[in-house]
Amino acid sequence: MTKRTLPTLDLKRGYARIKDEIDVAVKEVFESQYFIMGPTLSAFESDVERYLEVPRAIGCASGSDALLLALMALDLKPGDEVITTPYSFFATVSCITRLGATPVFADIDGDSYNVTAESVLSKVTERTKAFIPVHLFGQMVHLEKMRSELEGKGIAIIEDCAQSFGSWREIDGAPVRSGSYGVMGCFSFFPTKNLGCCGDGGMVVSRDQALADRLAKLRVHGAGTTYYHDEVGLNSRLDAIQAAILRVKLRHLDRWNEERRAAADRYKLLFAENDLLDLVTPPSEDEGNYHIYHQYVPRVQGDRDGLVDFLGKEGITSRVYYPVPLHLQRCFSFLGYGEGDCPVSEKLSRQSIALPIFPELEADEQEWVVSTIARFYGKN
Ligand SMILES: *Cc1c(COP(=O)(O)O)cnc(C)c1O
């Protein structure tokens, strides 16, 4: 008998559910032989505009490029400051330093893993040009508490929505989807994201038509008309094949996000049933938020790395997001941050553990995960 195993995410189960639809969509693109730009990409961009209720969506080659394009569209330059979180994936910050600008780190809240209005507003200076909130693990930042103050000072809000496609937050009594509240929203379609394609892919959405026009040029080497270059841009498009796949998956996304939420609820129940709540703190969903659990990340007491190893030996994969906060990464040492500058992020980097979560995760698999954690702590 082969040993039972559980990955953090099983993409094969997801594909099996929609294989027929995906295969037809991909075949259509092959038949058309239209791979770069073109009608399939435009159709997906329109789908996203409708889904997010934004006027413009511009596909590009990755989430990292989406962030870079957004900052290029703002003409970010050396001397400019961009406020963001130290507790995120690397690309949130590398786009800033790549343009010679300076990231300024605002520490996060220990329950939501997201930046707070107080910490962000305390970092504003005359040089602040933009703010990049990251809706980490699928839960939105409380942007309504800072938007008017930041925008009043001419500071652009660029949402990093790589982990939050489909999440929303109730603002002024109505649901607002992540990506539609700042002046630009940046998405990644990396295969492991909630809406993932079969390779690299990304998108910038904007409610500002002038910025959107600029983005549409920047992704094609800065050309307004082919071979007439107004400025130097990137070569960064979303392939038609990926757009076709994403069109299929977007139709199912809300159901998959609901299934992730159900799995998150079940984990919480199981932690309680296994008498683990003094050792394991489940992730919290803020009032008014629709969390889509891109990752399920509780905080644990005691030997976190030992727990990761213990689960791994039993066949259960877990991960640490993120073991080194960005202000302590070697490549950013020139910024002059040190241990203690963002204490909450540093603490969470030692306590957080990402457990398996995906729409097809079975109840008995979750029971196995939690009873194994209970065994690690000597609770059963
Ligand atoms: C995945 C991710 C990105 C980068 O997206 P890619 O498509 O991999 O380039 C950026 N920010 C966050 C928060 C991410 O999780």
Side-chain angles (χ1 to χ4, degrees):
M1 204 179 94
T2 52
K3 196 179 166 211
R4 188 185 188 195
T5 58
L6 179 62
T8 49
L9 163 67
D10 188 348
L11 286 172
K12 286 185 184 166
R13 291 191 216 174
Y15 177 51
R17 294 170 83 178
I18 52 165
K19 182 179 184 321
D20 295 347
E21 286 173 82
I22 296 277
D23 292 356
V24 169
V26 169
K27 187 150 181 279
E28 275 171 18
V29 179
F30 272 102
E31 299 291 342
S32 79
Q33 290 291 302
Y34 203 149
F35 298 119
I36 304 290
M37 308 295 276
T40 311
L41 175 61
S42 301
F44 175 58
E45 289 172 339
S46 304
D47 291 348
V48 173
E49 288 161 6
R50 267 193 305 277
Y51 182 89
L52 297 178
E53 297 179 43
V54 288
R56 298 281 292 278
I58 293 118
C60 64
S62 68
S64 304
D65 273 8
L67 289 161
L68 184 61
L69 286 163
L71 292 179
M72 288 171 78
L74 292 177
D75 288 312
L76 198 76
K77 55 182 189 317
D80 292 338
E81 294 177 355
V82 181
I83 299 171
T84 192
T85 170
Y87 204 70
S88 180
F89 178 62
F90 183 70
T92 305
V93 171
S94 58
C95 57
I96 305 167
T97 56
R98 187 174 286 271
L99 296 176
T102 306
V104 174
F105 293 108
D107 205 4
I108 55 174
D109 159 64
D111 290 322
S112 68
Y113 304 85
N114 277 335
V115 290
T116 61
E118 302 80 67
S119 99
V120 169
L121 295 173
S122 75
K123 301 290 178 187
V124 172
T125 73
E126 316 244 276
R127 288 193 290 274
T128 309
K129 186 88 188 248
F131 162 49
I132 305 182
V134 179
H135 307 304
L136 202 74
F137 304 145
Q139 164 151 259
M140 269 182 84
V141 173
H142 295 195
L143 289 177
E144 74 282 4
K145 295 189 178 144
M146 28 192 155
R147 186 170 79 170
S148 63
E149 183 157 349
L150 292 173
E151 291 192 343
K153 292 183 167 137
I155 298 166
I157 299 176
I158 301 171
E159 297 174 62
D160 182 339
C161 308
Q163 304 186 1
S164 68
F165 204 116
S167 70
W168 49 264
R169 175 166 172 72
E170 197 177 305
I171 299 177
D172 297 330
V176 173
R177 287 211 193 268
S178 66
S180 68
Y181 197 70
V183 73
M184 286 180 273
C186 300
F187 292 87
S188 165
F189 304 123
F190 188 80
T192 61
K193 310 290 185 184
N194 287 34
L195 180 64
C197 63
C198 298
D200 275 311
M203 182 167 270
V204 189
V205 303
S206 184
R207 56 180 155 89
D208 181 303
Q209 294 287 354
L211 278 174
D213 288 342
R214 184 91 188 274
L215 289 161
K217 259 196 233 182
L218 283 167
R219 73 170 163 183
V220 287
H221 287 301
T225 310
T226 310
Y227 305 127
Y228 292 81
H229 298 269
D230 302 329
E231 60 180 321
V232 178
L234 303 180
N235 173 19
S236 183
R237 278 89 56 131
L238 179 65
D239 294 346
I241 289 177
Q242 304 303 347
I245 291 164
L246 289 163
R247 289 199 79 194
V248 171
K249 289 183 137 190
L250 182 58
R251 296 201 288 267
H252 299 281
L253 181 70
D254 287 347
R255 191 175 77 239
W256 294 337
N257 283 341
E258 276 290 312
E259 289 168 351
R260 284 174 180 266
R261 288 171 59 79
D265 284 347
R266 194 177 303 119
Y267 267 131
K268 198 168 170 178
L269 209 67
L270 289 167
F271 289 135
E273 280 174 15
N274 283 266
D275 190 24
L276 280 167
L277 290 178
D278 54 336
L279 294 160
V280 178
T281 310
S284 64
E285 182 177 55
D286 294 341
E287 171 100 31
N289 264 3
Y290 184 83
H291 195 325
I292 56 158
Y293 294 96
H294 170 61
Q295 300 293 348
Y296 186 82
V297 185
R299 309 189 293 284
V300 295
Q301 301 296 316
D303 181 10
R304 190 269 320 266
D305 293 339
L307 175 59
V308 171
D309 287 346
F310 187 81
L311 289 168
K313 288 199 182 93
E314 294 294 314
I316 298 165
T317 309
S318 61
R319 297 197 192 284
V320 172
Y321 301 115
Y322 294 89
V324 183
L326 296 168
H327 68 293
L328 300 178
Q329 293 287 348
R330 189 181 307 150
C331 66
F332 296 138
S333 61
F334 72 95
L335 295 169
Y337 286 85
E339 195 82 39
D341 285 335
C342 299
V344 181
S345 299
E346 292 161 27
K347 190 169 119 205
L348 293 181
S349 71
R350 294 187 293 268
Q351 293 187 338
S352 67
I353 179 170
L355 299 177
I357 191 149
F358 47 96
E360 302 78 20
L361 184 64
E362 306 269 355
D364 69 320
E365 291 174 317
Q366 294 189 267
E367 283 159 22
W368 179 36
V369 172
V370 177
S371 67
T372 308
I373 293 172
R375 194 139 44 83
F376 174 76
Y377 284 114
K379 290 258 187 180
N380 59 10

